[in-house]
Amino acid sequence: DLKRIPTFQPFDEDDLLCLLRLSKFRKFKAGETVIREGSFDPYIYFLICGQLIISKNGKELAVLKNRGEIFGEMALVDKGPRDTVAEAIMDSYVCFIDRESFSRYLARNPEMSLRLTKIFGLKFKRLGQKVEDLVFRNVYQRLAGLLLNLYEEYGYEKNDKTYIYVKLTHYDIASLIGSTRETTTATLN
């Protein structure tokens, strides 16, 4: 149901029906690749449910878990080969729309264009923060920052304990903070 995706909540039923006609949906099993590096895949994706890791050159860049998170959006501006990989790390359900249809939809819906501009701006801001972290912070500080960010997005309290429900290996965490698995494991310990 597109209405349950935060990006689309402000839109009326007619807009959503139009968008739904453009959309395709697919379930990906854990370990299955959604976007392959080097492919000329013409789709923009929205996570409906599940969890994905976005990586480049074997290094994890982001974890997607929130309903409606957009990925593969570079297809809107670049028809070249994909330079990232999106992989399901748990069973996931994904909505995807081809670039040409989505571009025409955006041209008719400036409100949606503005919402996406804001989303892309926030993603760019997070990327800038990540670069700043790599340049100015040590592994311990980057790990602490990642854990705080994961807590803010996915954390909850139960029985006076804090839990973060995200399926990540030590290697995944190391990639996200620009470290090695060994250093990350030692720092976590």
Side-chain angles (χ1 to χ4, degrees):
D1 183 14
L2 292 178
K3 189 67 174 173
R4 293 179 22 203
I5 297 176
T7 306
F8 302 131
Q9 283 176 353
F11 300 100
D12 64 30
E13 291 300 318
D14 289 340
D15 282 333
L16 291 175
L17 283 173
C18 176
L19 196 56
L20 187 59
R21 283 192 288 274
L22 303 174
S23 301
K24 297 176 184 176
F25 297 86
R26 182 168 169 216
K27 184 174 185 176
F28 292 87
K29 299 250 183 238
E32 212 175 335
T33 301
V34 180
I35 297 175
R36 294 190 186 288
E37 188 173 3
S39 71
F40 286 87
D41 165 0
Y43 298 105
I44 293 83
Y45 296 85
F46 297 90
L47 179 64
I48 303 297
C49 66
Q51 192 171 319
L52 305 170
I53 283 191
I54 308 297
S55 61
K56 183 174 183 170
N57 300 325
K59 301 289 184 188
E60 278 80 9
L61 300 174
V63 177
L64 304 183
K65 185 180 176 195
N66 294 324
R67 175 185 297 276
E69 282 193 86
I70 189 171
F71 61 103
E73 66 274 10
M74 287 306 295
L76 282 170
V77 295
D78 182 5
K79 293 182 181 182
R82 297 285 186 159
D83 64 351
T84 58
V85 173
E87 182 181 329
I89 51 177
M90 62 185 348
D91 289 354
S92 302
Y93 195 58
V94 173
C95 165
F96 54 103
I97 306 170
D98 79 88
R99 122 179 88 236
E100 300 304 326
S101 298
F102 197 58
S103 293
R104 285 191 301 273
Y105 177 82
L106 291 177
R108 293 187 312 267
N109 294 281
E111 186 180 346
M112 177 61 141
S113 295
L114 181 59
R115 281 185 74 76
L116 287 179
T117 300
K118 288 178 182 177
I119 289 168
F120 298 155
L122 288 172
K123 285 179 102 170
F124 186 72
K125 182 179 177 182
R126 283 194 298 262
L127 181 61
Q129 181 63 51
K130 188 168 186 163
V131 169
E132 187 177 305
D133 286 351
L134 288 171
V135 172
F136 298 113
R137 291 183 176 77
N138 63 34
V139 171
Y140 180 84
Q141 292 167 325
R142 293 194 308 264
L143 178 59
L146 174 66
L147 292 174
L148 286 172
N149 288 338
L150 290 173
Y151 171 73
E152 287 172 8
E153 289 192 50
Y154 312 115
Y156 62 94
E157 305 288 329
K158 184 177 178 182
N159 300 330
D160 295 327
K161 292 186 179 180
T162 300
Y163 296 90
I164 301 172
Y165 183 70
V166 178
K167 186 178 178 180
L168 295 173
T169 65
H170 284 202
Y171 177 80
D172 296 334
I173 293 169
S175 291
L176 287 168
I177 64 170
S179 182
T180 64
R181 188 206 45 83
E182 294 81 6
T183 300
T184 299
T185 299
T187 305
L188 279 168
N189 290 338

